[in-house]
Amino acid sequence: MTIQHLIRLELKKTPFWKYTLLSALAIVLGIFFLLASITDSSDTVHDFNNAFQSAEMIFACIFIVFFAVLNGELVISEYNNRTILLMFTYPVDKKKMIAAKLIVITLFIVLSLAVGYTCCGLFLVGIDRKFNLLADTFSAAVLRYFIVRSVTTIVVFCCLGLWTFAAGMLRKSVTVTIVSSMLFYLVKTVGHCLWQRAAGESGRGACGSYDHGSVFMVYFQEEDYGAGVRLPVDGWSRAI
């Protein structure tokens, strides 16, 4: 039996209508947090770039946990309930069977993130045109930046999501799978912050400060450099 056939079987037996509703709820929740981020009462100047970065980290945080939940419910729980043992009695390669499940889960998360980022982008463009909340204007350069960042984030966090499966399989535990997703997200975020400091991109700000509207995003707080020129570098800034 080919892996394509196994994927079709997984698509038929998995209740994706339930997960689609949860995905839609997660997208709405992400947009709510994003709106809170760009309408906060701080002195931070919001533009499309940092708004997209906030959206990127918010959706990544939500969906890496969602990825872990799907891993736990569709794969790990079958070991706990012993239903996987019945499946292993079929004349099918066990590795192909597990791979088919992971491919289905990964494709669902990729599609959900793509839809989420698209909805988020349309929301930002629409609300900026209506209420002029952002400092700059939407352009082709901003669109290219958003597409590249979205694709990169989807790839990185889907890889982290697969690592949550590996962590959960070590103990055959759904709880370990979900907790590991939060730890992977935290390590990735803090690691990115430390890498930016080591690369000399940190200027004079304080790494680790949080934007008041979003507890999900660690970023570099820009400061006033007077006559210095501030260059945005991946959401951070440096002075010349």
Side-chain angles (χ1 to χ4, degrees):
M1 186 178 293
T2 64
I3 193 168
Q4 291 86 352
H5 185 64
L6 291 173
I7 291 173
R8 286 195 293 269
L9 290 177
E10 286 295 327
L11 291 173
K12 288 181 180 179
K13 77 171 191 176
T14 304
F16 277 105
W17 64 269
K18 177 175 66 175
Y19 302 126
T20 301
L21 290 177
L22 290 175
S23 178
L25 179 61
I27 292 173
V28 172
L29 183 64
I31 291 176
F32 171 78
F33 280 116
L34 177 62
L35 179 62
S37 174
I38 64 177
T39 57
D40 63 0
S41 57
S42 68
D43 294 330
T44 303
V45 177
H46 297 286
D47 57 19
F48 275 101
N49 280 359
N50 60 40
F52 285 153
Q53 289 163 21
S54 296
E56 166 195 324
M57 301 308 293
I58 290 170
F59 280 108
C61 178
I62 293 174
F63 279 98
I64 192 175
V65 176
F66 195 15
F67 201 130
V69 170
L70 291 178
N71 281 332
E73 186 166 341
L74 300 182
V75 184
I76 308 298
S77 64
E78 292 195 352
Y79 282 91
N80 295 335
N81 299 331
R82 304 291 183 179
T83 55
I84 196 72
L85 300 179
L86 177 62
M87 296 178 61
F88 285 163
T89 61
Y90 299 153
V92 180
D93 188 349
K94 297 178 182 178
K95 293 181 180 179
K96 285 185 178 181
M97 194 177 297
I98 299 299
K101 290 177 177 292
L102 292 178
I103 290 173
V104 168
I105 293 171
T106 303
L107 290 177
F108 180 79
I109 293 297
V110 168
L111 181 61
S112 297
L113 277 170
V115 172
Y117 285 138
T118 301
C119 292
C120 175
L122 293 174
F123 172 78
L124 285 175
V125 172
I127 200 170
D128 181 61
R129 288 187 177 182
K130 183 70 174 178
F131 300 104
N132 196 26
L133 295 178
L134 301 176
D136 58 350
T137 57
F138 186 76
S139 64
V142 172
L143 178 61
R144 286 194 299 270
Y145 171 84
F146 181 57
I147 292 174
V148 171
R149 291 291 304 222
S150 298
V151 172
T152 304
T153 303
I154 289 173
V155 172
V156 169
F157 281 93
C158 280
C159 291
L160 291 178
L162 292 174
W163 275 105
T164 66
F165 164 76
M169 285 294 290
L170 291 176
R171 299 292 300 272
K172 303 294 190 296
S173 170
V174 176
T175 302
V176 170
T177 306
I178 296 174
V179 171
S180 67
S181 69
M182 301 176 184
L183 292 177
F184 286 145
Y185 175 82
L186 180 62
V187 169
K188 188 267 177 190
T189 305
V190 173
H192 179 73
C193 177
L194 295 177
W195 179 83
Q196 290 284 6
R197 291 192 65 178
E201 307 275 343
S202 54
R204 291 169 47 199
C207 182
S209 61
Y210 287 87
D211 187 2
H212 294 286
S214 173
V215 298
F216 297 103
M217 181 179 177
V218 179
Y219 77 109
F220 199 88
Q221 181 68 45
E222 291 186 348
E223 291 186 2
D224 186 5
Y225 291 97
V229 178
R230 291 181 295 179
L231 298 178
V233 181
D234 194 22
W236 302 52
S237 63
R238 63 182 177 186
I240 297 178

